[in-house]
Every structure is written in C-alpha cells, then in structure tokens.
Amino acid sequence: MTVQQRATLEDVARLAGVSSKTVSRVFTHRELVAPDTVERVLAAAKRLRFRPNPLARNLRRGGPTNTIGFIMGELSNPFYYKLAAGIERELAANGYSLVVATTDDTAEGEERVADALLSQRLGALLLIPVAEDQSYLEGERHLGTPVIAIDRPARNLVADSIVLENHRGVFDATTRLLERGHRRIGYICNPASVYTQAERLRGYRDALAAYGIVDSSRWERLADDLSTPADGFIADLLAQDDAPTAIITGNNRVTVAALRVLRDRDDRSTALIGFDDFDTADVLGVTVINYDPLALGRAAATLAIERMQDPAGFTRQLEMPTWLVPRGTGERPPAERTPA
C-alpha cells in the first residue's frame, strides 16, 4: 500500500488561493478573517484532510500546550486505568487532552518517562510517584509546569497531591474486627515501603494499640518484591500456632492471593478484609475497603486545572474518602482453630 503524505498548511493555502498566514489565522483567530475566506480555507482543508497541529503551534510560540501528561504504573492494574479514565473525562470537559505514559511501577523508568513527556511542553504533569526522589522536576516547576502527585505525595518537590484516606480506611476496618471480638489480626502487604502501604499499616497498628495490642509483628507479613507471590507468606502466617483469626490485605493483588490460600486450606472461618475493590469481589462475598478511582481522577484533573490558573497559590494535599463495604468475609466472628 502506498502511504500518502499529509497535507501541509502551504498545500491548503495553494488550494484556497490565499497566503499561509491567512490559513494559520483561520485556525487561530478566525474572527479576524472574512467569512467567505474562512469558508474557502475550511473547504480546502477538508478536501486535503488537513489537521492543524496545536502542539507545534504552541512550541513555536514557546508556550505550553493544552495537553496534560499522566504518568502511571502498569496498565494491567484496574486502579490505574480507572484513575486515567476519571482524569480524561474531567480534562475533556474543560478543553484539555490527555497523554498517558507508564513506568511499570519501576523507579528507574519514572524520570525517563517524565523527561519524554515534558519535552512536549505540557500544560501540567500528573504522576503517581514511584521513585524515592522527585526533585528532578523542581526545575520544570520553576518554569511554570504544575506537577500534581496522585495516590502518594511527591518527595523533595513542592507539589500539590491528592491521596486516599489510607490510614482511616484501615483503622476503621481493624476497629470493626476488634469490635467483633478478634484480637489476633494479621496484616499482609506487598509492596510495604510505599507511602500508601505505610499509611495503611499505621492505621492497622494504631487501631490495635487503641485496644491495648502493642506488638503485632508476629501477625504481619510485609514484602517489597512484586515478583514474589504473596501466597507463601500468607499460608505461613495461617499455619503458625497463634494464627490470626482475621486478616487485612493491603491491596487487591494480596487479597486475591489470600482467597486462594483460604480456598486451598478449606478455611471458611478466617475473616478477611481487603483494601481495593475488584471485579468479582461482590460475587465472592469479599469485604473490602473501597473508594472511587474515577472520582480520584476527576479531582486530580481539577486540581491541575486550578493550579494552571493560579500557579502562585499555596500547595495543597487533598484526601479522598474510603469506606468499608461489608459482603461476608469481614463479618466472620473469631473462631479458635488448630494449625494445619
């Protein structure tokens, strides 16, 4: 197949019988051009399938574009693509477009991806921080590009951020289990060192401490290796002599692993509450700590638009609500059991 070259602004000018400057003015300040000339230029553009390039136009002027960048983790995680959908909807409603890039949740990919996006003179950059340090973005911020951190605050960077009520969500879930009589409550997460998990773990420990349980280390299983399945250390936890009668999982991946282990052990007594909802959780009757990723995305986009309009305003950290969705597994009463 022969690929036809795209028409240029000069091609449109020749077909319409006007200057290139007139064609450019039709696509930028149409009100300054005579109506019959506008009609002739648009007809020529349609015939040639010409599309103006706003990115190139803004780059020539040295200014930002109406394109907003979003750096997220792996595409297979439902949280990320729902978040991106919320961002895109809000931006589109306000005349902005979105370009998305992924880091596969690796710190080494974050700066490389950010540099590639920022070369397009973005109007703003939204990102889920993965690296330990985002100070490499400070120079771009001084040049007027707003940076919005989502899900985790940026480190060593003055930037707005929007996060979930991680601490309160797990604090409330743990308290609910304690109120039902559980005293041996496990907490499992991988990764454990990121901001979200640190806050969730803190909520779990604070709730236990409020009931006089100050050492929960024997019921905790914390890891920082996504290549290691959680099944093994969940099974190990449930097989020990003082196994927990309830467990809380820090994300949907670990929740699914816990469900597999409970199924393999034919365990219908251990209570389970997972952070993050997932597609079949309602069918399986899994109690979860839930939130609205679309609303989180919309709020992040709104924050970016507001920051573009008021670049000198005070930075803000917003928290989006979480809530417990009882479906069965989290409502099981404590039961004494013998190790497998």
Side-chain angles (χ1 to χ4, degrees), residues 7-37:
T8 65
L9 186 142
E10 288 73 19
D11 294 331
V12 175
R14 278 194 295 272
L15 182 59
V18 297
S19 69
S20 297
K21 286 185 177 180
T22 299
V23 175
S24 177
R25 195 171 293 118
V26 166
F27 288 105
T28 55
H29 298 289
R30 190 170 301 180
E31 69 281 1
L32 301 179
V33 184
D36 60 330
T37 303

Side-chain angles (χ1 to χ4, degrees), residues 205-239:
R205 290 173 175 171
D206 285 350
L208 291 180
Y211 273 70
I213 304 170
V214 294
D215 181 13
S216 57
S217 58
R218 62 189 181 280
W219 301 317
E220 296 175 7
R221 294 295 184 273
L222 315 176
D224 274 302
D225 183 2
L226 292 177
S227 66
T228 301
D231 307 50
F233 48 82
I234 296 172
D236 172 70
L237 173 64
L238 294 177

Side-chain angles (χ1 to χ4, degrees), residues 84-96:
I87 294 171
E88 195 279 332
R89 290 178 191 178
E90 187 65 27
L91 291 179
N94 287 275
Y96 295 91

Side-chain angles (χ1 to χ4, degrees), residues 76-107:
S76 61
N77 191 326
F79 168 70
Y80 290 135
Y81 62 71
K82 290 178 182 178
L83 180 62
I87 294 171
E88 195 279 332
R89 290 178 191 178
E90 187 65 27
L91 291 179
N94 287 275
Y96 295 91
S97 58
L98 177 68
V99 57
V100 177
T102 64
T103 63
D104 285 331
D105 279 328
T106 60

Side-chain angles (χ1 to χ4, degrees), residues 34-320:
D36 60 330
T37 303
V38 170
E39 187 175 343
R40 197 161 69 252
V41 168
L42 292 180
K46 183 177 181 180
R47 180 176 172 184
L48 294 173
R49 297 186 181 89
F50 171 77
R51 296 180 185 275
N53 188 339
L55 173 59
R57 184 170 63 242
N58 281 302
L59 289 177
R60 285 196 298 271
R61 293 173 178 171
T65 70
N66 68 339
T67 300
I68 309 301
F70 174 42
I71 301 174
M72 65 179 192
E74 56 177 340
L75 284 171
S76 61
N77 191 326
F79 168 70
Y80 290 135
Y81 62 71
K82 290 178 182 178
L83 180 62
I87 294 171
E88 195 279 332
R89 290 178 191 178
E90 187 65 27
L91 291 179
N94 287 275
Y96 295 91
S97 58
L98 177 68
V99 57
V100 177
T102 64
T103 63
D104 285 331
D105 279 328
T106 60
E108 56 271 18
E110 182 184 293
E111 185 170 357
R112 173 179 52 80
V113 171
D115 284 343
L117 284 184
L118 289 168
S119 67
Q120 301 182 40
R121 302 277 178 87
L122 299 173
L125 177 67
L126 297 90
L127 82 158
I128 299 176
V130 179
E132 292 294 316
D133 185 3
Q134 281 75 45
S135 61
Y136 65 90
L137 290 170
E138 187 65 19
E140 190 69 30
R141 188 185 70 85
H142 281 293
L143 291 173
T145 305
V147 178
I148 311 296
I150 307 175
D151 195 43
R152 309 157 191 169
R155 297 183 181 182
N156 302 318
L157 175 71
V158 178
D160 297 300
S161 61
I162 182 162
V163 300
L164 297 172
E165 289 181 333
N166 295 288
H167 177 276
R168 191 183 73 81
V170 176
F171 182 94
D172 289 350
T174 308
T175 300
R176 184 72 64 91
L177 291 170
L178 289 162
E179 290 172 347
R180 289 184 173 274
H182 293 277
R183 292 299 179 270
R184 301 198 306 272
I185 302 171
Y187 187 82
I188 307 151
C189 64
N190 182 22
S193 61
V194 297
Y195 166 84
T196 50
Q197 292 299 338
E199 286 295 291
R200 293 169 194 178
L201 180 61
R202 187 170 67 87
Y204 158 78
R205 290 173 175 171
D206 285 350
L208 291 180
Y211 273 70
I213 304 170
V214 294
D215 181 13
S216 57
S217 58
R218 62 189 181 280
W219 301 317
E220 296 175 7
R221 294 295 184 273
L222 315 176
D224 274 302
D225 183 2
L226 292 177
S227 66
T228 301
D231 307 50
F233 48 82
I234 296 172
D236 172 70
L237 173 64
L238 294 177
Q240 66 186 35
D241 290 340
D242 60 343
T245 59
I247 55 177
I248 297 174
T249 52
N251 59 40
N252 50 17
R253 287 196 197 94
V254 182
T255 304
V256 172
L259 288 170
R260 282 196 297 263
V261 173
L262 293 175
R263 178 203 61 195
D264 293 345
R265 293 170 54 88
D266 195 24
D267 184 338
R268 296 184 178 88
S269 62
T270 301
L272 169 65
I273 299 178
F275 207 109
D276 298 329
D277 207 357
F278 56 97
D279 285 344
T280 57
D282 57 336
V283 178
L284 297 171
V286 181
T287 299
V288 297
I289 302 162
N290 200 11
Y291 52 89
D292 187 344
L294 288 172
L296 177 63
R298 289 194 298 267
T302 298
L303 191 57
I305 293 169
E306 291 174 351
R307 177 57 64 202
M308 286 188 289
Q309 295 170 346
D310 182 21
F314 292 111
T315 57
R316 291 180 287 170
Q317 176 167 315
L318 306 180
E319 284 193 331
M320 297 293 288

